[in-house]
Amino acid sequence: MDLGIRGKRAIVCAGSKGLGRGCAEALAEAGVDLILNARSADVLDAAAQEIAKTYGVSVTPVAADITTEEGRAKVMAAAGEGIDILVNNAGGPPPGLWSDWNRDDFIKALDANMLAPIAMMQAVLPAMMERGWGRVVNITSQSVRAPIAQLGLSNAARSGLTGFVAGTSRQVAGSGVTINNMLPGIHATDRAVSLDSNVVKAEGISMEEAKARRAKTIPAGRYGTTTEFGAMCAFLCSQHAGFIVGQNIMLDGGAANISV
């Protein structure tokens, strides 16, 4: 399928690896030029060079912490005007118990997983609306619809972002701009390694056993891949997705047993 977005320009946050990298590659394959952001300059530069070489698109790496005001300003300065697509992404806060966290922990989670993506949307939406076309995809978590007890910080911050998107997406849709959220379950990324490592440490089992145990809780019987995640992101950013507005799309292999 021709996604109809060749020549568009996209900002992809936290795009040097994991789910962000999957989205960046899928957009690049569709012919989209990228402003690729991540914190680690060496990993980012390597990813940018590889994507540009593989797909023949322009990739501008911007090493910055997107969760900070300074980092966002650096990304926007490098991007300039004419951004058509924004993929918001940032690492999730650490797991724990409700009694483990203090106010500073919650503020940090809100800054990274709610306020940073909102600030990025506020930066790009006016110009998108003026041009009459734009796509925003926020990478959040399955915990928005099916809260995970150990991920209380993520549950709280990402749910706040979901509420903001629910209202904002309906205010900008008439200008040809769509905003949607992708809610990943377990995918084969560093995040999964981190979660499985916690199980290994807590229960004294091997990494292989921890992964196999978690995979058994997923009806698909496996972890998701960054490639299939990226494909969904690219479709939501395509010309064909203009009637998809304010949706929370689960990509969890059926792990959350919910019907709506």
Side-chain angles (χ1 to χ4, degrees), residues 50 55 64 86 103 228:
E50 185 175 345
Y55 301 105
L86 168 65
R103 185 178 188 278
E228 58 196 351

Side-chain angles (χ1 to χ4, degrees), residues 3-245:
L3 299 182
I5 50 177
R6 183 169 300 278
K8 300 287 189 183
R9 300 180 67 236
I11 295 173
V12 180
C13 303
S16 65
K17 57 184 178 179
L19 299 180
R21 173 71 179 264
C23 293
E25 292 210 25
L27 289 171
E29 186 176 16
V32 176
D33 294 323
L34 305 176
I35 292 83
L36 193 66
N37 158 254
R39 287 180 295 181
S40 178
D42 54 346
V43 176
L44 174 63
D45 289 342
Q49 292 176 23
E50 185 175 345
I51 292 171
K53 181 179 179 180
T54 300
Y55 301 105
V57 297
S58 170
V59 183
T60 303
V62 185
D65 184 351
I66 202 67
T67 69
T68 68
E69 185 175 352
E70 294 79 12
R72 291 189 293 275
K74 186 176 180 181
V75 169
M76 292 307 302
E81 298 182 358
I83 291 300
D84 305 292
I85 295 166
L86 168 65
V87 179
N88 271 319
N89 185 32
L97 297 175
W98 60 270
S99 55
D100 293 338
W101 304 310
N102 57 34
R103 185 178 188 278
D104 289 341
D105 296 320
F106 280 101
I107 294 299
K108 186 176 180 180
L110 289 169
D111 275 339
N113 300 124
M114 176 182 168
L115 299 179
I118 288 175
M120 288 299 293
M121 283 186 274
Q122 290 176 324
V124 302
L125 285 174
M128 287 181 177
M129 294 171 70
E130 185 175 345
R131 292 194 303 273
W133 198 93
R135 299 286 186 265
V136 177
V137 172
N138 300 298
I139 300 176
T140 65
S141 169
Q142 67 174 2
S143 66
V144 169
R145 294 186 63 200
I148 300 169
Q150 296 84 0
L151 299 182
L153 293 175
S154 179
N155 297 342
R158 298 189 195 278
S159 293
L161 175 62
T162 302
F164 177 84
V165 168
T168 304
S169 62
R170 288 160 175 86
Q171 296 177 62
V172 304
S175 297
V177 179
T178 69
I179 310 175
N180 292 287
N181 304 317
M182 294 177 66
L183 282 55
I186 294 296
H187 285 68
T189 65
D190 289 348
R191 176 68 163 171
V193 172
S194 176
L195 294 174
D196 288 336
S197 295
N198 289 334
V199 175
V200 169
K201 182 178 179 180
E203 301 188 24
I205 60 177
S206 68
M207 178 62 79
E208 291 72 20
E209 185 177 352
K211 290 174 64 177
R213 184 186 300 179
R214 193 183 299 275
K216 287 181 179 179
T217 69
I218 304 171
R222 62 176 177 85
Y223 289 7
T225 70
T226 58
T227 299
E228 58 196 351
F229 188 89
M232 174 58 77
C233 179
F235 178 76
L236 290 174
C237 295
S238 76
Q239 296 281 10
H240 309 294
F243 210 55
I244 304 175
V245 173

